[in-house]
Amino acid sequence: MTAVEADAGRLKGEADEPGWEVDPDDEWGVAVIATVGRQLKLRREAVGMRAAEFGTAVGYSEDMVYKIEGGKRIPRQDYLVRADEVLGAGGLIAATWEDVKRVRYPKKVRELAKLEGQAVEIGVYESISINGLLQTPDHARALFESWQPAYSPDEVERLVAARTARQSVFERSPAPSLSFVQEEATLRRPVGGTMVWRQQLERLLEVGRLRNVRLQVMPTSSEAHPGLNGRIEVLKFGDGTAAGRSDGAFNGRPTTDPKQIRILELRYGTIRAQALPPRESLAFIEQLLGET
């Protein structure tokens, strides 16, 4: 799409905001964005503004205005705030961000983020890649760009933003107890190139030094352990309930069954016991950084 120039500067188009398209399979998301778009259109028409004129006022192209009003694109918060000012809505349009932000990310990611956001304890073992809660944006982007069949650039940015948003778990108060065990091989793979790799290792050190985090490395030289079939994740909640999943158990499906949770806890506990202690793990990561 060709950019439109105006006195206020270059107007934003789709190329400027990748990853904000609506997922047609997300019924709730589609309904919310369609409703917000319809409200925007009705208010614009009520004040007698054409789409092009409105777009210039809010800093977006006419095409983007039509797509947002038609429920095809997710409006960013700054778009809603500016639209509220231009249309004199008294804060009613800006307030719709509270609904929009709940469907900003893909449905599956929202469901996972909701569980992580409620958990008081999270324990994760990863054997193939760095866990999503620990990934830098550039590391995540490199992983998504390597996927086959290939994601579109918009899809990549949407997925990166969603994965990064999950990391708000580190900002919660009171802070949850977080435990990660990473296979050594996941730390040695230079995803994204040397610079991105170094930044990822530095991020691991930063997170691993937090008081509520225990980060451990499972050495490649370690003997067989219960995690060799793949990822294990256990989440515990304040009401005493728990949820978990494992690539090598229960068909990989999430479970809340107490008996199955105990199995996952037993396996994860064994893995942690065989991994390097947290202090030695951080020293190991520092050593890797020194080798790059």
Side-chain angles (χ1 to χ4, degrees), residues 126-145:
E126 289 280 1
S127 62
I128 298 176
S129 63
I130 302 293
N131 183 261
L133 291 175
L134 302 173
Q135 291 175 13
T136 65
D138 286 338
H139 183 102
R141 184 174 293 105
L143 288 176
F144 289 130
E145 288 177 343

Side-chain angles (χ1 to χ4, degrees), residues 125-131 134-135 139 143 181-191 197 200-201 204 215-220 284-285 288:
Y125 161 75
E126 289 280 1
S127 62
I128 298 176
S129 63
I130 302 293
N131 183 261
L134 302 173
Q135 291 175 13
H139 183 102
L143 288 176
V181 180
Q182 289 282 160
E183 281 287 344
E184 176 184 339
T186 67
L187 308 182
R188 290 189 177 276
R189 184 172 295 113
V191 173
W197 180 31
Q200 179 61 69
L201 293 179
L204 293 178
L215 177 61
Q216 295 178 255
V217 175
M218 178 67 76
T220 303
F284 181 87
I285 296 172
L288 284 181

Side-chain angles (χ1 to χ4, degrees), residues 260-283:
Q260 295 178 342
I261 293 297
R262 282 196 292 272
I263 292 173
L264 294 183
E265 288 179 327
L266 174 61
R267 293 178 181 179
Y268 186 62
T270 303
I271 289 170
R272 290 195 65 186
Q274 287 185 231
L276 295 177
R279 187 184 298 274
E280 292 181 28
S281 295
L282 294 181

